[in-house]
């Protein structure tokens, strides 16, 4: 675990960094860069934040992001394009950052009056059918969700990453139409609300979804409810985890993982779908 923690280096000099020692960058831009082309490589670059810092537009494909730093505003890298979805995308040896401070609670983004609604983003958002995407050897840190699918994505490979400090799901793998092949392996996942969340309200899971040889280390009590009792999944407490594995999908396979959970006000590990009829379908 110490080797995994040290693999990618520190983002700030200390976890309790003094904000007076850092510059503040403000942006009203919808995006910092929009990519329309294909067979392009982006290397050794830093992208400062916008609402969607990097937008991959319809028709973009065979893109490589190597050794880039992306500061997320709402979303770090977005591939949400319903017409000619982006595909064949490699993100490697990179950093997608956008830490949310510990004093912003889960309910601040999820419940009225939504004081932190802009903090309810996904660092790498794969929607509307993006496919053949690989994210590897990268440090993905901070914010609400880490890597997310949402429509009918497939051939998604996420491996050898450090994913940490997310207020909700480090991997929110779901689809309004279907979930295709997704693999998460040999990664270090730390200090999030859960370790893996596949298949929430997904009508079809063709899969397979595989989660293997990962270390899930949930040792920081995540702030959930601004006031006790707003949400009930953790017993209504202000702090507490949901599940190490928030499992909702068939065709999902876990093996050779290490899970360390500080505490849980719920079941801790939720591995069995609640409705056996969903498995039959």
């Amino acid at each position: 675990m110490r080797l995994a923690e040290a693999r990618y280096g520190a983002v700030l000099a200390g976890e309790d960094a003094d904000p007076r020692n850092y510059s503040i960058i403000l942006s009203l831009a919808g995006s910092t860069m929009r990519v329309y082309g294909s067979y392009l490589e982006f290397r050794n670059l830093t992208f400062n934040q916008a609402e969607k810092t990097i937008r991959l537009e319809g028709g973009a494909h065979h893109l490589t992001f190597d050794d880039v730093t992306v500061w997320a505003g709402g979303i770090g890298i977005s591939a949400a394009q319903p017409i000619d979805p982006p595909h064949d995308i490699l993100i490697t040896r990179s950093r997608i950052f956008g830490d949310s401070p510990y004093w912003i609670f889960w309910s601040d983004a999820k419940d009225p009056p939504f004081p932190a609604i802009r903090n309810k983003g996904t660092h790498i958002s794969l929607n509307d059918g993006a496919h053949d995407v690989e994210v590897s050897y990268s440090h993905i840190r901070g914010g609400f969700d880490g890597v997310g699918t949402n429509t009918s994505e497939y051939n998604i490979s996420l491996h050898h990453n450090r994913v940490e400090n997310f207020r909700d799901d480090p991997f929110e793998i779901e689809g309004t139409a279907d979930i295709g092949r997704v693999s998460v392996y040999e990664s270090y996942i730390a200090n999030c609300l859960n370790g893996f969340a596949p298949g929430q309200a997904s009508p079809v899971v063709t899969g397979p979804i595989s989660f293997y040889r990962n270390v899930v280390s949930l040792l920081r009590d995540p702030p959930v409810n601004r006031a006790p009792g707003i949400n009930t999944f953790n017993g209504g407490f202000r702090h507490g985890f949901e599940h190490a594995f928030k499992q909702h999908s068939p065709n999902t396979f876990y093996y050779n993982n290490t899970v360390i959970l500080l505490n849980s006000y719920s079941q801790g590990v939720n591995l069995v779908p609640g409705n056996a009829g969903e498995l039959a379908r």
Side-chain angles (χ1 to χ4, degrees):
M1 286 180 59
R2 292 301 183 196
L3 289 174
E5 287 179 333
R7 183 184 296 162
Y8 299 97
V11 179
L12 302 172
E15 287 297 314
D16 297 319
D18 187 339
R20 294 173 296 181
N21 296 330
Y22 295 87
S23 61
I24 296 175
I25 298 175
L26 302 178
S27 172
L28 297 176
S31 58
T32 303
M33 182 177 73
R34 300 171 71 176
V35 181
Y36 295 86
S38 303
Y39 299 99
L40 300 173
E41 297 184 1
F42 303 88
R43 299 182 186 273
N44 307 314
L45 297 168
T46 296
F47 298 91
N48 286 322
Q49 74 271 19
E51 182 181 5
K52 297 178 180 178
T53 304
I54 296 177
R55 286 184 53 177
L56 309 183
E57 302 291 347
H61 60 86
H62 290 87
L63 306 174
T64 296
F65 297 88
D66 185 356
D67 193 22
V68 301
T69 299
V70 179
W71 290 96
I75 293 173
I77 299 176
S78 170
Q81 296 296 336
I83 299 175
D84 199 1
H87 60 87
D88 289 277
I89 302 159
L90 171 63
I91 302 168
T92 190
R93 299 191 308 150
S94 294
R95 296 149 299 280
I96 298 88
F97 294 153
D99 245 27
S100 295
Y102 193 64
W103 56 84
I104 294 180
F105 283 64
W106 185 92
S107 64
D108 292 341
K110 280 282 195 176
D111 293 279
F114 307 108
I117 189 66
R118 287 298 187 186
N119 289 95
K120 190 185 170 184
T122 302
H123 272 19
I124 300 177
S125 177
L126 307 174
N127 293 3
D128 296 320
H131 61 89
D132 292 281
V133 178
E134 177 183 347
V135 182
S136 61
Y137 299 97
S138 294
H139 190 178
I140 307 167
R141 169 176 165 139
F144 202 79
D145 290 322
V147 181
T149 65
N150 195 48
T151 310
S152 55
E153 293 69 45
Y154 61 93
N155 290 348
I156 311 298
S157 178
L158 311 168
H159 64 92
H160 293 90
N161 298 299
R162 176 174 175 173
V163 184
E164 64 179 344
N165 290 18
F166 284 94
R167 188 171 296 104
D168 200 35
D169 308 321
F171 303 99
E172 185 175 61
I173 306 302
E174 57 183 318
T176 55
D178 188 11
I179 303 174
R181 180 183 296 272
V182 178
S183 298
V184 179
Y185 62 94
E186 296 185 8
S187 292
Y188 175 73
I189 299 109
N191 297 332
C192 303
L193 187 66
N194 57 64
F196 192 50
Q200 301 175 80
S202 301
V204 179
V205 181
T206 299
I209 300 174
S210 300
F211 189 89
Y212 59 95
R213 293 200 298 267
N214 298 290
V215 173
V216 179
S217 175
L218 305 181
L219 296 177
R220 185 174 73 170
D221 228 1
V224 176
N225 293 332
R226 171 63 59 184
I230 294 177
N231 291 286
T232 59
F233 68 75
N234 70 331
F237 293 96
R238 292 192 68 208
H239 294 79
F241 299 95
E242 186 168 10
H243 308 286
F245 301 141
K246 189 168 65 172
Q247 170 63 32
H248 291 279
S249 58
N251 301 322
T252 302
F253 304 90
Y254 298 85
Y255 52 94
N256 295 347
N257 297 291
T258 298
V259 179
I260 302 171
L261 188 65
L262 175 67
N263 63 55
S264 175
Y265 297 108
S266 188
Q267 293 125 315
V269 177
N270 171 25
L271 286 176
V272 181
N275 185 350
E278 293 297 322
L279 293 176
R281 289 202 292 262

